[in-house]
Amino acid sequence: MLKVPNRQKNASAASTKAVILVGGPSRGTRFRPLSLDVPKPLFDVAGHPIIWHCLRAVAKIPGIREVVLVGYYDEAVFRDFIKDSAKELPQIRIVYLREYQALGTAGGLYHFRDAILKGGPERFFVLNADVCCSFPLNEMLQLFEEKDAEAVILGTRVSNDAATNFGCIVSDAHTKRVLHYVEKPESHISNLINCGVYLFSTETIFPSIRSAIKRRSDRPRLVSYPSSENLDASFFAERLEDGERNEVLRLEQDILSDLADSKQFFVHETKDFWRQIKTAGSAVPANALYLQKAFQSQSEELAAPSANIIPPVFIHPSADVDPTAKLGPNVSIGPRVTIGAGVRVKESIVLEDAEIKHDACVLYSIIGWNSRVGAWARVEGTPTPVNSHTTSIVKNGIKVQSITILGKDCGVGDEVRVQNCVCLPNKELKRDVANEVIM
């Protein structure tokens, strides 16, 4: 039988844990070609792995002593990151729990419920690792306690056009109570969307997931939604004898709409920045947002502004940047990068061991590990609006990536221009290319 702790109102923050959902190798395919060499949660944005920004936010919550990473990458993938983070945040125990298969965001929580409930936490945060935001976790905790809530979700406003690409929340503006939740609705219901950050009461969320599993096992699940004329058995998910299929549950599709039926589900609306890191190109706007946040908090990690440094710019201490090169704004330079004289870099990420030769220009791009950009070459993407949640644009009727991405070990020849391209690893570009995926 599932044991859950009894809740005490206004309990100390010591009874709080955090879970970070990191996904697995079969996910993150949209992050290629970058995820071919590094798992998406460990990709460096603003000088640190994506997951590090989540972990730092959690570490600021007083009393949190344990963070659980849940995913289905091999255990070795996060070993070094956990070791380094343990030195930086000695007060927090970080553990990685590996799913035996992809269980979905809710299925993974339920599968490891005993580990999450160990120590008797009364509530726990759940963060999706591919979210870039300011993580107002303290404000969510405050709302949770004020309302004696069972769940709090982080929400933000987007344009009406973009809203249907996300989970949409209908809420009471006065009480902040969630009245209705629909994942990716077909028509407009609200422009308040799910940010992928939650705070759950342990005595509510696990029984909710368990009842969803029971409902799933009581009826076959529709894989797609055909018309009534051709409702064929093939549209139903095959049942597995051991019930494994029934445990594949997602918070967004299977749990949150039921929670909205309860009276104790609330939304904290953030006015600060937020975006998803889904495609490889979305790392560039996320890099800009995190760098701007670091600049506002006067982080000492950032390069000092000067005539050739337009803030915010992160330069790794081991990088070799010629003083005549002009960098910024929103540029991250990785370890052991070499940047020659007269180079211009703007709104870009340059990964470790890359080289940009003299007088080259890199704009709205990601330069992969150990890649080389020749002298007088030009590697550029196209800027997208600040409030846009997509990194693709339409050129000549064709949808292309707005950010140019060079994978690992790519070479761009001298005086070659590369525009709006995605280049897979180990390619040499000796002629001008535009709007292509180079295989």
Side-chain angles (χ1 to χ4, degrees):
M1 185 179 166
L2 180 68
K3 291 183 180 177
V4 292
N6 293 321
R7 291 182 67 199
Q8 298 162 15
K9 203 168 179 182
N10 300 322
S12 70
S15 57
T16 310
K17 276 191 185 183
V19 176
I20 301 176
L21 304 173
V22 297
S26 67
R27 294 279 182 270
T29 52
R30 284 182 284 176
F31 205 69
R32 291 175 182 167
L34 302 175
S35 58
L36 295 172
D37 296 286
V38 166
K40 183 167 75 168
L42 297 180
F43 181 79
D44 277 1
V45 165
H48 296 282
I50 291 169
I51 192 175
W52 179 90
H53 297 281
C54 303
L55 196 57
R56 284 285 296 194
V58 167
K60 290 176 183 171
I61 303 293
I64 285 194
R65 296 283 172 265
E66 185 173 62
V67 176
V68 179
L69 312 182
V70 173
Y72 54 103
Y73 287 103
D74 190 79
E75 285 90 344
V77 166
F78 292 100
R79 196 173 292 146
D80 290 344
F81 172 76
I82 290 172
K83 202 182 292 179
D84 294 342
S85 300
K87 289 175 192 166
E88 190 180 343
L89 305 167
Q91 78 278 18
I92 291 181
R93 177 172 178 259
I94 305 164
V95 293
Y96 175 62
L97 301 177
R98 184 185 181 187
E99 300 170 6
Y100 59 92
Q101 67 175 58
L103 297 174
T105 45
L109 293 177
Y110 194 74
H111 184 68
F112 293 116
R113 60 195 179 277
D114 291 342
I116 295 167
L117 290 169
K118 190 179 176 185
E122 292 174 359
R123 63 221 158 181
F124 62 99
F125 285 99
V126 176
L127 291 79
N128 282 290
D130 60 357
V131 164
C132 160
C133 73
S134 57
F135 297 108
L137 305 183
N138 270 315
E139 290 90 332
M140 291 176 70
L141 193 55
Q142 196 177 340
L143 179 66
F144 189 89
E145 291 182 342
E146 273 175 19
K147 303 286 188 182
D148 192 26
E150 293 175 345
V152 171
I153 184 173
L154 184 66
T156 191
R157 299 277 174 186
V158 297
S159 68
N160 288 346
D161 292 341
T164 51
N165 295 319
F166 302 97
C168 293
I169 303 162
V170 178
S171 66
D172 183 314
H174 180 63
T175 63
K176 299 182 180 176
R177 189 166 80 78
V178 176
L179 305 173
H180 190 46
Y181 179 88
V182 183
E183 182 66 18
K184 295 179 182 169
E186 289 184 10
S187 58
H188 174 74
I189 65 162
S190 167
N191 68 342
L192 180 62
I193 63 156
N194 175 4
C195 290
V197 180
Y198 315 95
L199 177 55
F200 294 122
S201 151
T202 48
E203 68 177 14
T204 301
I205 188 62
F206 292 119
S208 294
I209 299 173
R210 186 173 54 203
S211 59
I213 292 172
K214 188 174 186 305
R215 279 199 309 276
R216 175 73 62 83
S217 58
D218 288 346
R219 58 176 169 75
R221 176 173 163 240
L222 277 173
V223 177
S224 60
Y225 296 88
S227 64
S228 54
E229 293 86 46
N230 64 348
L231 186 61
D232 184 72
S234 62
F235 285 104
F236 291 98
E238 290 177 32
R239 286 191 183 215
L240 300 181
E241 285 179 22
D242 58 2
E244 277 184 2
R245 170 80 61 154
N246 294 331
E247 214 175 341
V248 180
L249 282 173
R250 290 166 293 185
L251 283 170
E252 301 80 10
Q253 281 89 337
D254 303 309
I255 309 298
L256 295 183
S257 57
D258 290 341
L259 277 180
D261 295 338
S262 82
K263 298 281 188 288
Q264 296 304 107
F265 184 20
F266 295 89
V267 57
H268 172 74
E269 186 181 332
T270 177
K271 303 282 193 249
D272 213 340
F273 69 89
W274 177 87
R275 74 173 298 134
Q276 281 182 307
I277 308 175
K278 288 292 186 192
T279 61
S282 60
V284 167
N287 179 63
L289 292 169
Y290 277 139
L291 285 175
Q292 287 158 20
K293 181 188 171 196
F295 185 65
Q296 286 160 8
S297 62
Q298 299 179 321
S299 169
E300 293 179 4
E301 285 188 335
L302 299 184
S306 68
N308 282 340
I309 300 287
I310 305 165
V313 173
F314 171 85
I315 301 174
H316 193 276
S318 63
D320 179 16
V321 179
D322 190 279
T324 62
K326 189 167 185 175
L327 310 181
N330 304 322
V331 168
S332 289
I333 305 295
R336 300 176 301 282
V337 166
T338 305
I339 293 189
V343 165
R344 179 73 176 104
V345 183
K346 174 183 173 183
E347 301 279 354
S348 296
I349 300 172
V350 184
L351 297 167
E352 59 189 271
D353 297 308
E355 181 184 7
I356 302 176
K357 292 189 175 174
H358 68 86
D359 299 297
C361 184
V362 175
L363 312 171
Y364 301 95
S365 299
I366 298 173
I367 307 300
W369 305 270
N370 207 35
S371 288
R372 301 158 312 286
V373 176
W376 297 99
R378 188 177 178 93
V379 178
E380 63 179 322
T382 302
T384 50
V386 177
N387 57 356
S388 170
H389 285 275
T390 178
T391 53
S392 58
I393 54 172
V394 176
K395 284 207 167 185
N396 303 325
I398 300 168
K399 199 175 183 182
V400 296
Q401 278 295 313
S402 61
I403 304 295
T404 288
I405 300 159
L406 302 184
K408 187 178 183 181
D409 284 311
C410 284
V412 176
D414 293 353
E415 301 180 28
V416 168
R417 182 172 184 242
V418 181
Q419 184 182 25
N420 296 114
C421 288
V422 176
C423 184
L424 270 65
N426 307 304
K427 299 288 177 286
E428 291 290 331
L429 305 179
K430 296 176 181 175
R431 59 175 178 82
D432 293 0
V433 279
N435 310 327
E436 286 187 32
V437 176
I438 297 141
M439 312 285 278

